[in-house]
Amino acid sequence: MEESLMTTLCAHCPAWLRTLESCPLRAESDSLGWLMVLFSVIPYLVATLVSICLVMFRTTRFFILAVLLLTQQILNEFILKRLYRMPRPNGACATTFGMPSSHSAFAALTFTWVVLHLINDQTSRKWYSKMLNLLVVVCFYIPQPLSRLYLNYHSIEQVIIGTVEGILLGYVAHVIIRRVLIPNPQHQFWRLCARLNLANTMIEATQHKLESELAR
């Protein structure tokens, strides 16, 4: 009976929400369900925003973030899900494999990237500005894995594995950037960025901090 109801709700879900895998599986009066739909759509909005910022500002920071998000999606959708081949929970409004959760991986990757960036921020940004950025990240990204459970798109196991994947990917990327790329301004990666006419804001921020310390 419950599965039949879910199938009916899926059939009445707007096509664009089915495409984004963000259908509500409760009554229309379920405000929490629609809030979870909003959180579930956030990754698509963020990916669009990052792409727009990359085109507008053409900086290495946005370029690296875009590459990371693209890498995470390719890893999930074309490699890990095809290796695990684990179905989604019964009644989910999607027929693709569910292990690991791409939304959870996206949320964990973005959260890890932003937090580590704030911790190692080389600019003169005030502490309260960093805390505000952290608060925004927590409010927007932490509920995403919960939304996937609430909307019945993933099991707890799929969400946990996706979250661990995102954290590991974000941490590894941060270590590579801080310990390999930034100490070596002549690295091939930065040369590629120069060919793409991208402003190297990450190297510039490091140099700015060093100059400030030397001036003291």
Side-chain angles (χ1 to χ4, degrees), residues 2 8 14 41 48 56-57 59 66 71 75 80 88 108 118 120 122 129 146-147 156 166 171 174-176 191 207 209:
E2 183 179 353
T8 302
V41 172
T48 302
M56 289 181 60
F57 302 109
T59 66
T71 300
L75 179 63
L80 295 180
R88 296 175 185 270
L118 291 175
N120 295 275
Q122 304 291 341
S129 176
L146 299 178
S147 75
I156 294 179
Y171 178 76
H174 176 79
V175 170
I176 292 175
R191 294 182 181 180
Q207 291 176 341
K209 181 180 181 181

Side-chain angles (χ1 to χ4, degrees), residues 83-137:
L83 286 176
Y84 283 111
R85 302 181 67 84
M86 181 183 291
R88 296 175 185 270
N90 291 333
C93 293
T95 57
T96 55
F97 296 121
M99 172 66 92
S101 166
S102 294
H103 280 69
S104 300
F106 176 95
L109 167 61
T110 310
F111 179 79
T112 304
W113 168 263
V114 173
V115 169
L116 292 176
H117 171 69
L118 291 175
I119 293 175
N120 295 275
D121 192 356
Q122 304 291 341
T123 66
S124 57
R125 191 197 305 259
K126 302 297 184 180
W127 68 268
Y128 51 81
S129 176
K130 293 184 179 181
M131 292 302 297
L132 179 60
N133 279 270
L134 180 60
L135 179 62
V136 170
V137 170

Side-chain angles (χ1 to χ4, degrees), residues 144-174:
Q144 282 188 45
L146 299 178
S147 75
R148 305 312 286 167
L149 294 172
Y150 191 90
L151 297 176
N152 196 46
Y153 275 98
H154 291 286
S155 65
I156 294 179
E157 181 183 6
Q158 293 167 355
V159 165
I160 291 175
I161 296 300
T163 301
V164 171
E165 175 208 339
I167 292 173
L168 289 176
L169 184 58
Y171 178 76
V172 169
H174 176 79

Side-chain angles (χ1 to χ4, degrees), residues 46-47 50-51 53-55 57-73 106 109-110 112-114 116-117 169-184 187-194 196-206:
V46 171
V50 170
S51 301
C53 289
L54 176 58
V55 172
F57 302 109
R58 302 190 63 81
T59 66
T60 52
R61 198 179 305 277
F62 285 117
F63 178 66
I64 290 174
L65 182 55
V67 170
L68 272 178
L69 296 179
L70 180 61
T71 300
Q72 179 261 312
Q73 284 299 306
F106 176 95
L109 167 61
T110 310
T112 304
W113 168 263
V114 173
L116 292 176
H117 171 69
L169 184 58
Y171 178 76
V172 169
H174 176 79
V175 170
I176 292 175
I177 292 168
R178 292 293 169 182
R179 298 187 180 181
V180 178
L181 297 182
I182 288 182
N184 184 8
H187 194 280
Q188 290 295 331
F189 178 79
W190 300 129
R191 294 182 181 180
L192 171 62
C193 291
L196 296 175
N197 198 29
L198 301 175
N200 199 335
T201 50
M202 305 193 78
I203 292 290
E204 290 172 358
T206 304

